[in-house]
Amino acid sequence: MEVETVKGVDTMEFGAGDREERARREVSLVRLVFSCMVAGGVQYGWALQLSLLTPYVQTLGLPHALSSIMWLCGPIAGFLVQPTVGLWSDRCYSKFGRRRPFILVGCLLISTAVLIIGFSSDIGFALGDTKEHCSVYTGPRWKAAIVYVAGFWVLDLSNNAVQGPARALMADLAGPEKVNAANAIFCSWMAAGNILGYSSGASGKWHKWFPFLNTKACCAACANLKGAFLIAVIFLLCCVAVTLIVAQEEPLEKKPGMKEENTGFLDMLKDIFGAFKSLPPGMPYVLLVTAVTWLSWFPFILYDTDWMGREIYHGNPDGTAAERDAYDRGVREGAFGLLLNSVVLGISSFLIEPLCRKLTPRVVWVISNFSVFAAMAGISIVSKWSVDGYNGSIQQAINASPKVRAVALFIFTALGFPLAVLFSVPFAVTAQLAAKAGRGQGLCTGVLNIFIVLPQVIIALGAGPWDALFGKGNLPAFALAAAFAFICGFVGIFLLPKLSRSSFRSSSMAGMH
């Protein structure tokens, strides 16, 4: 869920500069649409990852208190991989173009990681986890868990490796004249990928449609995940093929005698951390509010479908067959809620700019944080309501209370609007402050990214133990998230800089997951 930070390269310094400028002027809207298609393929896999993987790893034996730690890879990859790959792609002289080689290799690695995750139970079974059938075995499967976590980390690293070059390719093709349209197209593909991915995760029919996915080591829930990820691989490969064919990048040609800049990773980090010394006025407060905002959001990103399976459907991934079935139903219901969330996110992304022009970015950001507070507090209340109304009946667990389900789905859906704000306004505010101060926009965005990554690390390390400390499932993490969102709302009122309505530009928005 991070934005790339690269040192900009002026392509006009290279022999291909004139050709690129002509291509930008001539690029059609249709070509932009298909060139951005890879965003939909990558986001399809992200949606499956966000909705299914935290619940699934618990069925392999990883305790709930430790399941959040595997998400540490995302922040680490966002901090290290995206800037590095982005910088390398800026200076790539391949005859296939600057961005396309990295997009292709990254998508192939994503496909490999997805297959590893999907078949982790079968691999663990082959390595000797157990000889019992999955329908009767309820113990841990540590070899499968290790394979799964390894695949998960490769997937996160690969996703981050593709994001930077894919966004840079969009900007290369569009140029300043069409960057607004390109951003809208890119975000639309991401929304489409989310909708398709969450729809796939919400389906419980993959093991019926493709019965060969059921094995001695992989029963219905596992086979459903395997089927969804196999479709994700096919969809991603189709999307990347279209992007690579349609984009038609011009390779860079270095002028004779031109001196190359140092592109070392340490030099890049030096530039980013050096930016702390010359931040634009108001930027420290933006960083503070961004960090607290992510502290309030990341518990939901980690535990949304797990919450639906445990607190709403009263399931248990380590329990009896009936409890596991109830948990699986809840996870699929949570994926459906995220599907509705993505629809609202896609619609809201087109409303953020006019709202910021009318109310100012600061007011929109503050409203968003108070909306998150209301949602997280609502999740805590619904959890208490659901648990108190549960009498231990297996039938009640399988069906869940219709009223509780309806409220839970409403909260999932309503969070689409503040999520659209989270994915756009902080980056637009940063770009505006950097432009006003005449500072490097890329470096300021890099510093902002650090304050997105650090809260994710804190939550990934602390959310599971925090929940275990109180022994109340996911409720403690969501209650703490509500407190952070409430504090952040008031901090934003008093500390966020006052920015003009007219200078807010949709081209400053950054699409994220």
Side-chain angles (χ1 to χ4, degrees), residues 425-461:
V425 173
F427 305 100
V429 170
T430 298
Q432 187 174 343
L433 291 176
K436 286 176 63 177
R439 308 289 166 79
Q441 188 177 125
L443 289 180
C444 288
T445 306
V447 174
L448 180 72
N449 192 54
I450 294 173
F451 282 80
I452 293 173
V453 167
L454 291 178
Q456 293 180 24
V457 172
I458 292 171
I459 297 299
L461 287 174

Side-chain angles (χ1 to χ4, degrees), residues 252-271:
L252 290 181
E253 297 176 8
K254 187 167 53 174
K255 285 184 177 181
M258 179 182 171
K259 184 179 179 181
E260 290 189 26
E261 289 187 29
N262 195 331
T263 59
F265 178 65
L266 293 179
D267 294 281
M268 181 198 63
L269 289 181
K270 182 179 178 181
D271 287 335

Side-chain angles (χ1 to χ4, degrees), residues 288-289 291-300 366 368-381 459 466 470 474-492:
L288 173 63
V289 176
V292 182
T293 299
W294 273 95
L295 286 173
S296 66
W297 261 107
F298 209 54
F300 178 79
V366 168
S368 167
N369 283 325
F370 281 121
S371 299
V372 175
F373 161 70
M376 297 303 163
I379 287 176
S380 302
I381 294 170
I459 297 299
W466 175 260
F470 292 92
N474 296 300
L475 180 59
F478 286 125
L480 187 62
F484 280 128
F486 186 75
I487 294 170
C488 192
F490 282 103
V491 170

Side-chain angles (χ1 to χ4, degrees), residues 191 195 340-352 354 416-417 420:
I195 292 171
L340 299 177
N341 174 281
S342 296
V343 173
V344 174
L345 168 63
I347 296 172
S348 300
S349 63
F350 293 98
L351 303 177
I352 298 301
F417 170 74

Side-chain angles (χ1 to χ4, degrees), residues 174-216:
E177 299 83 5
K178 298 182 179 179
V179 71
N180 288 356
N183 268 299
I185 293 168
F186 196 87
C187 292
S188 297
W189 272 116
M190 294 180 70
N194 269 340
I195 292 171
L196 291 173
Y198 291 135
S199 299
S200 180
S203 172
K205 305 294 185 180
W206 293 109
H207 69 292
K208 295 180 180 178
W209 295 334
F210 303 107
F212 65 88
L213 297 175
N214 294 277
T215 65
K216 192 175 181 180

Side-chain angles (χ1 to χ4, degrees), residues 88-420:
W88 288 343
S89 72
D90 275 344
R91 304 290 178 146
C92 178
Y93 297 98
S94 168
K95 64 180 180 179
F96 299 107
R98 287 187 293 173
R99 318 298 182 186
R100 290 189 296 175
F102 294 92
I103 293 173
L104 174 60
V105 172
C107 287
L108 291 177
L109 288 174
I110 289 174
S111 300
T112 302
V114 164
L115 292 175
I116 291 173
I117 291 172
F119 287 86
S120 57
S121 291
D122 298 289
I123 296 172
F125 186 85
L127 294 176
D129 266 339
T130 178
K131 296 300 180 183
E132 294 185 62
H133 196 278
C134 55
S135 60
V136 296
Y137 182 74
T138 58
R141 290 173 280 175
W142 295 115
K143 293 182 177 67
I146 292 172
V147 171
Y148 170 93
V149 172
F152 186 95
W153 277 55
V154 173
L155 178 59
D156 248 358
L157 291 167
S158 305
N159 278 330
N160 279 279
V162 173
Q163 286 180 43
R167 291 182 182 134
L169 175 64
M170 170 200 69
D172 292 344
L173 295 175
E177 299 83 5
K178 298 182 179 179
V179 71
N180 288 356
N183 268 299
I185 293 168
F186 196 87
C187 292
S188 297
W189 272 116
M190 294 180 70
N194 269 340
I195 292 171
L196 291 173
Y198 291 135
S199 299
S200 180
S203 172
K205 305 294 185 180
W206 293 109
H207 69 292
K208 295 180 180 178
W209 295 334
F210 303 107
F212 65 88
L213 297 175
N214 294 277
T215 65
K216 192 175 181 180
C218 187
C219 291
C222 169
N224 281 325
L225 180 139
K226 192 190 299 184
F229 273 115
L230 286 175
I231 298 299
V233 170
I234 295 172
F235 183 65
L236 173 61
L237 293 178
C238 292
C239 289
V240 72
V242 171
T243 293
L244 295 179
I245 293 170
V246 175
Q248 298 176 356
E249 278 189 288
E250 291 284 353
L252 290 181
E253 297 176 8
K254 187 167 53 174
K255 285 184 177 181
M258 179 182 171
K259 184 179 179 181
E260 290 189 26
E261 289 187 29
N262 195 331
T263 59
F265 178 65
L266 293 179
D267 294 281
M268 181 198 63
L269 289 181
K270 182 179 178 181
D271 287 335
I272 293 176
F273 285 106
F276 279 105
K277 299 178 182 178
S278 57
L279 289 173
M283 189 65 191
Y285 299 123
V286 173
L287 299 178
L288 173 63
V289 176
T290 298
V292 182
T293 299
W294 273 95
L295 286 173
S296 66
W297 261 107
F298 209 54
F300 178 79
I301 293 173
L302 285 178
Y303 295 130
D304 41 24
T305 54
D306 184 72
W307 171 73
M308 191 73 83
R310 288 179 182 272
E311 274 79 15
I312 304 303
Y313 276 77
H314 309 286
N316 185 350
D318 300 320
T320 64
E323 289 174 330
R324 293 198 304 270
D325 181 65
Y327 181 78
D328 184 51
R329 287 171 180 263
V331 169
R332 295 201 304 271
E333 185 86 351
F336 177 70
L338 292 174
L339 164 64
L340 299 177
N341 174 281
S342 296
V343 173
V344 174
L345 168 63
I347 296 172
S348 300
S349 63
F350 293 98
L351 303 177
I352 298 301
E353 181 183 3
L355 279 174
C356 287
R357 289 184 181 275
K358 184 176 181 62
L359 302 175
T360 75
R362 180 180 68 162
V363 173
V364 172
W365 197 346
V366 168
I367 291 174
S368 167
N369 283 325
F370 281 121
S371 299
V372 175
F373 161 70
M376 297 303 163
I379 287 176
S380 302
I381 294 170
V382 170
S383 297
K384 190 76 167 57
W385 175 22
S386 178
V387 172
D388 289 349
Y390 178 54
N391 60 18
S393 166
I394 293 298
Q395 188 61 36
Q396 183 185 7
I398 292 175
N399 294 326
S401 167
K403 292 182 180 179
V404 172
R405 286 176 53 198
V407 174
L409 287 176
F410 173 78
I411 293 173
F412 270 59
T413 305
L415 279 170
F417 170 74
L419 191 60

